[in-house]
Every structure is written in C-alpha cells, then in structure tokens.
Amino acid sequence: MRRSASDATARLWRVDLTGGHAQALTNDLWYLGDPVYAPDGSRIAFDYAPTQSAWTRLATVNAAGSAITDVYVPAQERVDAWMGSWTADSQ
C-alpha cells in the first residue's frame, strides 16, 4: 500500500518478489487500509471509502488485479467497516 503525501488516499500494489515488478491493484482510494490476503491467495480484502465524506466499506480485489468488488456496504450513516480476517475457506 502506498499513501498519498497530500491527502488521505492510498493505492494498493502487488510486488513480484522475484523481479521487483510492481502492479497497482487499485486506483487512489480514500482511507484505504487493512489489506489481508485470502488464505488461498486469490483475493485481497481491504476497507476504503468511495468518497472523502463517506463511511468505509469492505471490498475485495483479485490478487491478479481485477475490478474491486464491494462485499459489505454499511446501510446506515455513522458506521465504518474494517477488514478483520478471512475464514479458513477464504470466505
């Protein structure tokens, strides 16, 4: 994860440890945090906000770098969601 020096945005990156190649998995997202790989290594879950004034939600991105999928969006105001952990079966 790389944070912006000017605001509260960050971008999630995957780095190839053998060659050092870096690939951005997301665009800049507000309050991006708590990235956790699924046990099977297929996805990364994290929390973020779609706008600066929104509450955070949970999302996943394919570890190879596909579109973000929201998996939990708080239905009420004043609720932030934070990524905790995956189940053993990558749920």
Side-chain angles (χ1 to χ4, degrees):
M1 195 168 58
R2 183 175 182 185
R3 297 217 178 270
S4 168
S6 61
D7 59 28
T9 62
R11 187 174 288 196
L12 191 60
W13 293 80
R14 185 186 67 180
V15 177
D16 179 3
L17 295 178
T18 59
H21 174 73
Q23 175 189 2
L25 300 178
T26 68
N27 293 324
D28 288 339
L29 297 172
W30 289 98
Y31 312 113
L32 175 67
D34 306 311
V36 181
Y37 265 93
D40 66 6
S42 66
R43 293 173 290 158
I44 302 168
F46 57 93
D47 46 78
Y48 81 101
T51 66
Q52 186 176 10
S53 61
W55 295 93
T56 59
R57 53 185 61 184
L58 298 180
T60 62
V61 65
N62 185 297
S66 65
I68 295 170
T69 302
D70 287 337
V71 294
Y72 176 73
V73 177
Q76 59 185 347
E77 293 186 22
R78 300 184 183 169
V79 174
D80 275 323
W82 290 290
M83 178 53 193
S85 61
W86 292 85
T87 60
D89 63 352
S90 295
Q91 297 296 311

